[in-house]
Amino acid sequence: MQSKQVHILLVEDDPLDVATITGALHDREGETVIHVAHDAEKALDMLQGNGQPALVPTPQIILLNLKSSEQDSMSFLKELRQDSRLRFCSVFIMTNQSTKEDIQKAYSFNVAGYIIKPIQHDSFLECLATLHSYWNLIELPY
């Protein structure tokens, strides 16, 4: 498998999960650039350049913790899909819990995947490794 540079925006409010995710993804082959926003509002500001320069290049992948602020996250997805520059970002929901309604609503905004974070640390690392392998196999929008 050929590695390629991947730009990721991680939207996560739990410092332990931020450390786990960034550590696991930086351990992988290839160059991974990870930006972190602690909530959906800050993430949108980073993407659109509200009050700061927009991220360049635009991240191809967004890992979004739905439960950090569910309403803000759904508003974020809606606004992301309405923005012609951002609508092609691949969004993966990563959350600790879910409901059928959460899953359906997220997929209505064309998310690439909905992942329930495993409770055990080793299982969480395996999940991240699988996700990393997936996006190394597919062609991402640039």
Side-chain angles (χ1 to χ4, degrees):
M1 173 173 23
Q2 184 180 16
S3 294
K4 53 190 168 188
Q5 187 177 54
V6 177
H7 291 263
I8 299 170
L9 175 58
L10 173 60
V11 185
E12 175 61 65
D13 63 343
D14 183 325
L16 182 58
D17 283 349
V18 169
T20 299
I21 293 166
T22 57
L25 296 179
H26 280 295
D27 287 345
R28 301 280 157 209
E29 291 180 17
E31 191 174 342
T32 304
V33 179
I34 302 174
H35 302 275
V36 178
H38 297 287
D39 60 46
E41 182 179 351
K42 177 67 175 166
L44 202 55
D45 289 345
M46 292 170 73
L47 291 166
Q48 294 178 330
N50 299 328
Q52 62 191 349
L55 294 176
V56 176
T58 300
Q60 300 108 316
I61 297 170
I62 299 172
L63 301 177
L64 176 64
N65 179 354
L66 185 64
K67 292 300 178 187
S68 63
S69 176
E70 185 177 335
Q71 187 57 39
D72 287 345
S73 297
M74 290 302 174
S75 296
F76 169 82
L77 287 171
K78 182 178 181 180
E79 215 166 315
L80 188 79
R81 294 306 181 216
Q82 292 175 347
D83 188 316
S84 62
R85 293 180 311 106
L86 304 173
R87 78 175 93 199
F88 297 109
C89 295
S90 296
V91 179
F92 293 86
I93 302 294
M94 294 187 76
T95 187
N96 292 322
Q97 57 188 356
S98 70
T99 65
K100 181 179 177 180
E101 292 79 23
D102 288 343
I103 295 169
Q104 289 175 337
K105 191 164 191 175
Y107 276 106
S108 76
F109 289 113
N110 199 28
V111 298
Y114 196 104
I115 302 164
I116 308 294
K117 294 180 196 172
I119 295 172
Q120 294 185 340
H121 183 73
D122 289 343
S123 297
F124 191 25
L125 292 177
E126 286 177 31
C127 175
L128 293 169
T130 301
L131 188 58
H132 187 273
S133 293
Y134 171 73
W135 66 58
N136 269 325
L137 288 172
I138 63 170
E139 289 300 319
L140 293 166
Y142 290 94

